[in-house]
C-alpha cells in the first residue's frame, strides 16, 4: 500500500497543522503544510497510499478538523497509533480518515517500512519484515457511520427521513 | 447501578431513564457553538448535508474571536463567511467585534449556557461550561454542522474519574495551579475519553472563575468533559448573569450524581497542599512548583485567554503590577476576555496599572494563545503565558518555548524578567 512515516507519543494538532495555516478550509491547501513543524520533509516525501504510524494520544490538542483533513488530503491512507485523542478520533470518523489502534503494529513498524492494511479484517502487514498485526475492532455504531459514508451523509439521510 | 452527574445529564437529553458507560446515544443539544476558524468548514458540511434551516436559530452561537479583529485579508474572508451565514439563517447569538469576547469567557457571562445543559462547540475548550454543572464538550466542524442541522449529537457515554477536593487553596493559588497540578499528576491522557467529576467540600472554597479555569483545561488531560456540582456559588453566578437572549428560554437544572454512581477511580486532592505551579515546555503535564522555575528568563508574558481572561485573573495581575514596572527585557500583553471584563479593568483602575507598568492592554481576542496574532513568538523566544497549551510551535515559531502558569506568577515574571514567585516580591 505504502511506506510508513513513524512518529512518537502526543503528536498534537499544532504539529499536524499549525494555526497560522488555518486561514482556509481547502483540503489541498492545508495538505501543503501537513506535519510542517514536526517533520519538515513530510510534504516533499509523502505519496498516495502511505501511512502514519505513531504512539500514544495521537491528535491531542485543538478540535480543528483541519488536522485529519490535512492528513487525508496529503495522500496518507490511514493512521495507525497506540491510542488517539478523543476529538481527533471523532473527527477522523466523521470525515472518513481511516484510523487504527494497534500498539503491536506501532512497536513492529519502522520508518520507511512497506505497510499494507486490510480495512475489512483490521489486519496490518509489515511487508518489509513479513510480520502481521491485528488492530482493535471498531464499535458497530462507528462502522455504521463509516458505511453510510461519514457523518455528513449520515445526517443527510436522517434529514431526508425526518422530512426536513 | 447509579449514574454519574454527566451520565444523568446525557440520559435526560437522550430521553432515557438510564445510560451506562460505553453506550452510544444521540442527545438533544441546548447550544451549538462555533468560532471564525471552525465555522467556515462547518458551513460547507452543513450545505453538504442538504440542510437549509438550522434546528433553532436561538441555540446556535457564533463568535469571531480567533483571528478577529481580522488579522489579515484571509481572516476577513472567514469572518465575513460566518457573518453571512448568521444573516441567512437568522441566528440571534452572534457577537460582532466590539461586542464579542473570547467565546468561553463570553457565553457564561451572557447567560447563554447554564446548569443541566448539553453543549457542543467546535473548539476544544468548550469543556469550560462544566463549571456551571453542564455537560459540555469540544467537537469538530462536521459535528458542529450536524448539530446545527438536527439539534443532536452522537456520544459514547463516558466513564468517570472522581476528584475529591478538600481544604482551601493558599494565598495567590488559584484554579490554574489546581488544574495544572492535577494534569501533572495524571498526565495529558490521564482522563482520555472520560469525565473528570469534581466533588468534595473543597469546592465551596473555589470561586466560579477558579472553576471555569479548572473545567477549561479538562481537555488537556484528554477528558471528554469536566464537571462541577451545582451549589450556592453556581446559583449566585447564574442569578447575576441572566441570559441576555430571552428567545433561548434557558432552564436552570441542577443534576446530582447518584449516591451509588460508579467511578473508575477516585483521586483525593487537598487544595491546601497545592503550590503555585508552572508547566514547562512542551506539554501541560510537565509541571513544577514555581520555586523550581525561578530564574528562567522570558521574552514575553501573556495574561488572558479562555483559561485566565476573567475578572479575578485581571485583579490578581493588577495587584502584583500596581506601582511596579515591567522588566526592560520583557513584553507584557494583557488581554481581558470580554468587553465586560475590559470595562471592569477600566472601572477598577487595573487598565491604568497595566499601561503604567509598561504593558499592552488589548481588546479581547484569542490571538497569541494559538500563535495567530497580537504577540506571535519568534525563533528561540521564551514566553510565560496564562494560556492552556505549550506544544511545540503553539504560539509561533517551532523554535520558541512556552511556560504555562496562573496570572499571579505571570505578573511577577513580567516584573522580574525571569520566572518569579509573586509571594516573594
Amino acid at each position: 500500500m505504502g511506506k510508513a512515516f513513524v512518529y512518537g507519543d502526543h503528536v498534537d494538532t499544532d504539529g499536524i497543522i499549525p494555526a497560522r495555516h488555518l486561514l482556509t478550509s481547502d483540503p489541498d491547501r492545508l495538505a501543503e503544510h501537513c506535519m510542517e513543524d514536526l517533520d519538515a520533509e513530510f510534504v516533499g516525501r509523502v505519496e498516495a497510499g502511505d501511512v502514519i504510524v505513531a504512539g500514544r494520544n495521537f491528535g491531542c490538542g485543538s478540535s480543528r478538523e483541519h488536522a485529519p483533513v490535512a492528513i487525508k488530503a496529503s495522500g496518507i491512507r490511514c493512521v495507525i497509533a497506540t491510542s488517539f485523542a478523543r476529538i481527533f478520533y471523532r473527527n477522523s470518523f466523521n470525515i472518513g480518515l481511516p484510523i487504527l489502534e494497534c500498539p503491536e503494529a506501532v512497536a513492529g513498524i519502522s520508518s520507511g517500512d512497506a505497510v499494507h492494511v486490510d480495512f475489512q479484517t483490521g489486519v496490518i502487514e509489515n511487508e518489509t519484515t513479513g510480520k502481521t498485526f491485528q488492530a482493535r475492532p471498531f464499535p458497530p455504531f462507528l462502522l455504521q457511520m463509516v458505511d453510510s459514508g461519514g457523518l455528513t451523509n449520515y445526517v443527510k439521510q436522517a434529514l431526508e427521513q425526518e422530512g426536513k | 447501578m447509579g449514574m454519574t452527574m454527566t451520565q444523568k445529564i446525557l440520559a435526560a437529553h437522550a430521553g432515557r431513564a438510564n445510560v451506562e458507560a460505553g453506550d452510544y446515544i444521540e442527545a438533544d443539544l441546548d447550544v451549538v457553538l462555533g468560532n471564525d476558524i471552525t465555522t467556515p468548514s462547518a458551513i460547507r458540511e452543513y450545505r453538504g448535508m442538504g440542510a437549509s434551516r438550522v434546528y433553532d436559530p436561538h441555540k446556535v452561537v457564533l463568535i469571531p474571536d480567533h483571528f478577529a479583529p481580522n488579522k489579515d485579508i484571509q481572516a476577513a474572508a472567514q469572518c465575513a463567511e460566518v457573518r453571512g451565514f448568521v444573516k441567512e439563517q437568522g441566528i440571534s447569538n452572534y457577537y460582532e467585534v466590539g461586542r464579542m469576547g473570547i467565546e468561553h469567557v463570553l457565553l457564561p457571562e451572557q447567560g447563554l449556557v447554564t446548569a443541566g445543559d448539553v453543549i457542543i462547540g467546535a473548539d476544544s475548550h468548550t469543556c469550560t461550561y462544566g463549571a456551571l454543572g453542564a455537560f459540555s464538550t469540544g467537537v469538530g466542524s462536521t459535528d458542529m454542522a450536524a448539530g446545527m442541522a438536527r439539534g443532536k449529537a452522537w456520544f459514547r457515554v463516558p466513564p468517570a474519574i472522581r476528584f475529591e477536593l478538600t481544604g482551601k487553596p493558599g494565598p495567590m493559588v488559584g484554579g490554574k495551579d489546581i488544574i495544572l497540578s492535577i494534569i501533572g499528576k495524571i498526565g495529558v491522557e490521564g482522563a482520555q475519553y472520560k469525565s473528570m467529576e469534581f466533588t468534595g467540600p473543597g469546592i465551596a472554597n473555589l470561586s466560579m472563575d477558579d472553576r471555569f479555569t479548572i473545567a477549561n483545561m479538562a481537555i488537556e488531560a484528554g477528558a471528554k468533559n469536566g464537571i462541577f456540582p451545582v451549589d450556592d456559588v453556581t446559583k449566585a453566578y447564574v442569578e447575576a448573569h441572566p441570559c441576555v437572549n430571552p428567545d433561548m428560554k434557558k432552564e436552570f437544572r441542577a443534576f446530582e450524581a447518584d449516591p451509588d454512581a460508579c467511578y473508575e477511580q477516585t483521586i483525593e486532592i487537598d487544595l491546601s497542599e497545592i503550590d503555585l505551579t508552572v508547566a514547562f515546555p512542551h506539554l501541560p503535564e510537565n509541571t513544577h512548583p514555581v520555586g523550581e522555575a525561578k530564574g528562567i528568563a522570558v521574552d514575553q508574558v501573556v495574561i488572558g485567554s479562555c483559561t485566565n481572561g476573567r475578572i479575578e485573573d485581571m485583579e490578581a495581575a493588577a495587584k502584583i503590577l500596581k506601582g511596579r514596572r515591567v522588566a526592560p527585557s520583557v513584553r507584557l500583553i494583557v488581554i481581558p476576555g470580554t468587553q465586560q471584563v475590559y470595562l471592569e479593568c477600566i472601572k477598577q483602575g487595573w487598565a491604568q496599572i497595566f499601561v503604567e507598568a509598561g504593558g499592552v492592554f488589548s481588546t479581547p481576542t484569542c490571538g497569541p494563545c494559538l500563535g495567530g496574532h497580537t504577540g506571535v513568538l519568534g525563533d528561540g523566544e521564551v514566553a510565560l503565558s496564562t494560556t492552556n497549551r505549550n506544544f511545540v510551535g503553539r504560539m509561533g515559531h517551532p523554535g520558541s518555548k512556552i511556560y504555562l502558569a496562573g496570572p499571579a506568577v505571570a505578573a511577577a515574571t513580567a516584573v522580574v524578567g525571569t520566572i518569579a514567585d509573586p509571594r516573594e516580591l
Side-chain angles (χ1 to χ4, degrees):
Chain A
M1 191 156 79
K3 62 181 178 296
F5 287 84
V6 177
Y7 303 105
D9 294 335
H10 311 301
V11 171
D12 62 79
T13 50
D14 286 286
I16 296 168
I17 182 77
R20 61 181 178 275
H21 301 304
L22 302 182
L23 288 153
T24 175
S25 52
D26 177 48
D28 292 330
R29 285 176 59 202
L30 291 169
E32 290 167 15
H33 303 287
C34 190
M35 310 302 276
E36 190 172 272
D37 288 353
L38 194 66
D39 177 3
E41 294 177 2
F42 175 84
V43 169
R45 290 181 51 218
V46 68
E47 293 170 290
D50 287 348
V51 300
I52 286 176
V53 178
R56 285 155 36 213
N57 202 25
F58 186 89
C60 61
S62 159
S63 70
R64 62 187 71 152
E65 205 166 276
H66 310 68
V69 165
I71 290 174
K72 189 180 174 195
S74 76
I76 288 289
R77 185 68 185 90
C78 77
V79 181
I80 301 164
T82 306
S83 64
F84 292 89
R86 63 160 285 274
I87 304 179
F88 184 92
Y89 182 93
R90 193 179 172 101
N91 285 346
S92 296
F93 274 98
N94 287 346
I95 67 134
L97 171 70
I99 57 173
L100 298 166
E101 281 185 346
C102 187
E104 299 79 13
V106 172
I109 296 174
S110 306
S111 185
D113 283 357
V115 175
H116 184 268
V117 177
D118 184 329
F119 292 108
Q120 295 303 316
T121 61
V123 172
I124 300 165
E125 186 186 358
N126 184 336
E127 294 173 327
T128 304
T129 63
K131 284 188 183 150
T132 59
F133 311 93
Q134 178 65 52
R136 291 190 196 146
F138 289 114
F141 175 87
L142 290 181
L143 284 177
Q144 253 179 25
M145 185 150 32
V146 172
D147 286 344
S148 63
L151 182 63
T152 299
N153 281 326
Y154 175 85
V155 172
K156 192 175 184 177
Q157 288 159 20
L159 288 176
E160 281 162 7
Q161 279 166 16
E162 290 161 12
K164 284 184 186 165
Chain B
M1 193 168 52
M3 291 187 281
T4 66
M5 192 174 166
T6 294
Q7 290 164 356
K8 281 180 107 167
I9 296 174
L10 286 175
H13 283 73
R16 288 169 56 156
N18 251 290
V19 296
E20 273 182 44
D23 287 353
Y24 282 85
I25 59 157
E26 253 189 349
D28 292 330
L29 302 172
D30 296 297
V31 173
V32 178
L33 168 70
N35 60 51
D36 53 306
I37 290 183
T38 55
T39 304
S41 299
I43 294 169
R44 193 182 55 200
E45 296 307 318
Y46 177 84
R47 309 260 190 242
M49 289 165 185
S52 54
R53 305 307 298 172
V54 296
Y55 81 111
D56 185 335
H58 309 303
K59 291 185 176 177
V60 176
V61 180
L62 300 180
I63 315 281
D65 58 357
H66 276 60
F67 291 160
N70 301 340
K71 83 175 183 80
D72 57 24
I73 293 168
Q74 288 169 288
Q78 294 199 133
C79 289
E81 191 177 354
V82 176
R83 205 174 287 124
F85 188 71
V86 165
K87 216 174 250 183
E88 171 197 301
Q89 298 284 326
I91 290 165
S92 58
N93 297 298
Y94 173 70
Y95 288 79
E96 190 54 271
V97 168
R99 278 81 81 194
M100 72 83 169
I102 296 171
E103 49 196 329
H104 309 310
V105 185
L106 186 70
L107 267 67
E109 176 197 283
Q110 300 287 308
L112 309 186
V113 287
T114 194
D117 276 358
V118 169
I119 302 147
I120 61 166
D123 187 281
S124 60
H125 293 106
T126 302
C127 51
T128 308
Y129 317 126
L132 290 166
F135 172 81
S136 191
T137 193
V139 297
S141 295
T142 303
D143 272 314
M144 180 193 166
M148 290 196 297
R150 288 185 71 221
K152 291 174 191 292
W154 66 268
F155 297 109
R156 182 170 178 266
V157 175
I161 301 176
R162 174 168 57 179
F163 293 84
E164 176 79 7
L165 309 183
T166 58
K168 196 176 172 182
M172 298 199 193
V173 173
K176 186 60 159 290
D177 305 291
I178 296 165
I179 189 62
L180 283 178
S181 71
I182 287 174
I183 296 167
K185 197 174 280 213
I186 67 172
V188 293
E189 53 181 345
Q192 193 69 268
Y193 302 108
K194 295 171 191 166
S195 300
M196 295 172 79
E197 301 222 347
F198 299 95
T199 64
I203 287 176
N205 299 320
L206 298 176
S207 68
M208 270 321 295
D209 284 2
D210 286 327
R211 299 179 195 187
F212 283 127
T213 302
I214 293 169
N216 172 273
M217 287 190 69
I219 178 68
E220 310 313 334
K224 183 166 214 149
N225 69 313
I227 195 163
F228 280 83
V230 175
D231 64 6
D232 291 342
V233 175
T234 327
K235 287 176 193 156
Y237 180 91
V238 172
E239 276 167 26
H241 299 85
C243 183
V244 297
N245 182 355
D247 289 333
M248 290 186 90
K249 301 188 178 76
K250 298 305 293 187
E251 193 189 340
F252 180 96
R253 278 190 291 170
F255 286 83
E256 278 180 38
D258 289 327
D260 60 340
C262 173
Y263 300 95
E264 280 196 349
Q265 196 185 352
T266 295
I267 296 174
E268 289 173 11
I269 308 274
D270 181 349
L271 298 175
S272 68
E273 288 180 359
I274 290 176
D275 199 354
L276 291 170
T277 302
V278 178
F280 284 32
H282 293 285
L283 282 176
E285 70 182 22
N286 297 335
T287 55
H288 296 264
V290 68
E292 294 176 13
K294 265 164 47 179
I296 296 170
V298 306
D299 302 292
Q300 180 170 297
V301 170
V302 173
I303 300 175
S305 83
C306 63
T307 310
N308 283 118
R310 298 183 179 80
I311 288 173
E312 286 181 10
D313 302 313
M314 297 294 123
E315 183 180 20
K319 274 185 180 168
I320 307 281
L321 288 163
K322 188 173 184 182
R324 297 197 169 97
R325 297 278 306 166
V326 174
S329 57
V330 173
R331 313 181 296 261
L332 169 66
I333 300 170
V334 183
I335 309 180
T338 65
Q339 295 291 88
Q340 271 192 24
V341 177
Y342 192 100
L343 264 179
E344 192 66 17
C345 288
I346 292 172
K347 284 181 192 160
Q348 300 288 343
W350 304 332
Q352 188 169 349
I353 291 172
F354 300 140
V355 175
E356 284 181 351
V360 167
F361 185 62
S362 161
T363 193
T365 181
C366 305
C369 171
L370 72 161
H373 59 99
T374 316
V376 176
L377 297 178
D379 192 8
E381 289 193 327
V382 178
L384 183 127
S385 180
T386 68
T387 54
N388 41 57
R389 289 192 177 127
N390 55 352
F391 301 149
V392 173
R394 168 75 179 177
M395 295 178 76
H397 196 283
S400 59
K401 282 184 185 165
I402 306 159
Y403 293 81
L404 302 175
V409 170
T413 300
V415 169
V416 177
T418 56
I419 297 178
D421 186 335
R423 297 166 299 196
E424 295 173 0
L425 283 188

